[in-house]
Structure formats: structure tokens, C-alpha cells
Amino acid sequence: MLKLAVLVSGGGTNLQAIMDAIAGGTVTNAEIVTVISNNADAYALERAEKNGIDAVCISPKMYESRDEFNRALLQQLNSYQPDLVVLAGFLVVIPEMMIEEYRNRIINIHPSLIPSFCGKGYYGLKVHEGVLARGVKVTGATVHFVDEGTDTGPIILQKAVEVQQGDTPEVLQRRVMEQAEWLILPKAIDLIANSRVSVVDGHVRIEE
């Protein structure tokens, strides 16, 4: 059974998608052992508690330095001994010490087709604002492993979503979540939980 630690900052819609997929059997051999947020007011924590999952807030505001926060976050994570760390809308830079310790065991969902509209400054609504400003016709979402760069780790899954005339950033954000994020994040977890994903020479291989 793959033990998941899900890290969140906001409402937790991707967390809900994972919980629903586990409950519905589309994700197998996996369980969420903890949900950690940097935001005490994150609704995701409430979602976790309602499902009997340990929910913890660890905020940089609770510590005198970023280094102290990073160490506390890693210590909290390690206490659950997760097999996979899932960044589901976690708006905190992951410390290098965590990346080193969980190499190829941290995945992230990004609301665009990487390498487009990703990297520093592209998060949340800013991604969809960028898509609309550029006038592209197709956007989507990407699940990737996390490395020391920003949105630069090996790509696991992507799914395209059509940009429609009259879209606002909020409307497009919702469509990308519904048609891409909530589908490919659980699917990636299921692939990993069933040993169908490997990283070879910096590229992901998926067994059919």
C-alpha cells in the first residue's frame, strides 16, 4: 500500500479528487496518511479531517527563519514515512533537503502544458491569465516529478483542454481542473502505486 502525504495551501479540490478516486477504486493500492498545509485557514484541512485523515498546519509564520520552517516541514513529513509526496496546490518552495530525501518521490500538478506557462511567477490564476493574454487555443495540466528547478522535473502525464472564446481566467481555471487536473493527478498516483512508472535518464517510462 502506497502511503501518500498530500501538501496543500487552499481549498483542496485536487485533494478531494484523490480521496474520491481512492474511495471509488480508480486509485488502488494507495492511502493518504497525512495532509499538510502552510495555511491554517485552508479548507483542505477540513476536507481531510472529515475523511479521518491527520491534518496538520505548518506555516513559515510559526518559525523565526525559513530554514527552521523547512526543517520542521521535513520532520513532520518524515514522521509519517510516506512513500509519495503529492503537491496539490502547495504554494511553498520545496526545500532542497526535502527534494534530496524524496528524490523521484514528490509529484506536482501544474495547470498548464509544461513547458508553456510554467516556472517562476506562474501559479494559480496567473497561469490562466498568461494563457489568455497569449491567445493560445489549447492549454491543460501536467503532473511531473519535482526536482530542484521550478516545474522542470520529469513529466508523468499531461492532458489538453480547449480554450474557449469569452473565457475569463476563473472560468478557464475551473475547466482545466475539471477536465484535466482532477483526472490526471489521481491517474498518476495509481500508476505509481502499481509500480508502472519509472524514471530513466531523466525521463518517465510508463508500463501499459
Side-chain angles (χ1 to χ4, degrees):
M1 186 72 74
L2 192 80
K3 295 193 292 184
L4 308 175
V6 182
L7 276 55
V8 293
S9 291
T13 54
N14 275 304
L15 168 64
Q16 189 66 53
I18 298 166
M19 292 190 298
D20 290 346
I22 291 173
T26 53
V27 170
T28 58
N29 298 324
E31 62 175 345
I32 302 173
V33 294
T34 185
V35 171
I36 300 173
S37 179
N38 62 304
N39 176 11
D41 297 323
Y43 183 60
L45 294 173
E46 193 173 323
R47 290 182 193 265
E49 289 170 351
K50 285 179 179 177
N51 282 268
I53 299 167
D54 279 1
V56 183
C57 173
I58 298 182
S59 168
K61 297 174 185 176
M62 298 160 60
Y63 300 91
E64 290 186 5
S65 70
R66 193 65 176 211
D67 185 60
E68 281 186 42
F69 163 75
N70 289 342
R71 292 181 186 282
L73 179 63
L74 183 57
Q75 185 177 11
Q76 183 68 42
L77 193 62
N78 286 346
S79 71
Y80 287 93
Q81 298 182 308
D83 302 304
L84 184 69
V85 180
V86 181
L87 308 183
F90 191 56
L91 302 179
V92 171
V93 175
I94 301 302
E96 286 192 13
M97 68 177 80
M98 183 184 295
I99 294 169
E100 288 172 8
E101 192 153 337
Y102 288 87
R103 178 75 60 189
N104 293 332
R105 292 194 293 143
I106 306 175
I107 64 173
N108 179 55
I109 181 80
H110 183 77
S112 78
L113 296 175
I114 292 173
S116 298
F117 307 103
C118 66
K120 191 173 182 180
Y122 279 113
Y123 59 90
L125 273 181
K126 294 181 185 296
V127 175
H128 307 292
E129 289 168 354
V131 166
L132 294 175
R134 187 69 181 86
V136 300
K137 305 303 181 187
V138 176
T139 183
T142 304
V143 180
H144 64 95
F145 284 109
V146 173
D147 62 10
E148 284 80 1
T150 304
D151 303 325
T152 57
I155 291 171
I156 304 168
L157 293 173
Q158 291 185 307
K159 191 172 189 304
V161 174
E162 184 182 357
V163 179
Q164 298 179 7
Q165 193 168 354
D167 273 347
T168 64
E170 292 80 8
V171 168
L172 184 58
Q173 181 184 51
R174 184 73 186 184
R175 188 182 310 117
V176 169
M177 287 193 294
E178 291 177 348
Q179 296 183 10
E181 292 181 47
W182 298 347
L183 302 178
I184 63 173
L185 184 56
K187 184 177 180 181
I189 292 169
D190 185 64
L191 288 169
I192 294 168
N194 289 283
S195 303
R196 291 171 57 196
V197 172
S198 58
V199 180
V200 180
D201 297 328
H203 296 279
V204 170
R205 287 185 181 175
I206 297 176
E207 296 176 17
E208 297 299 330

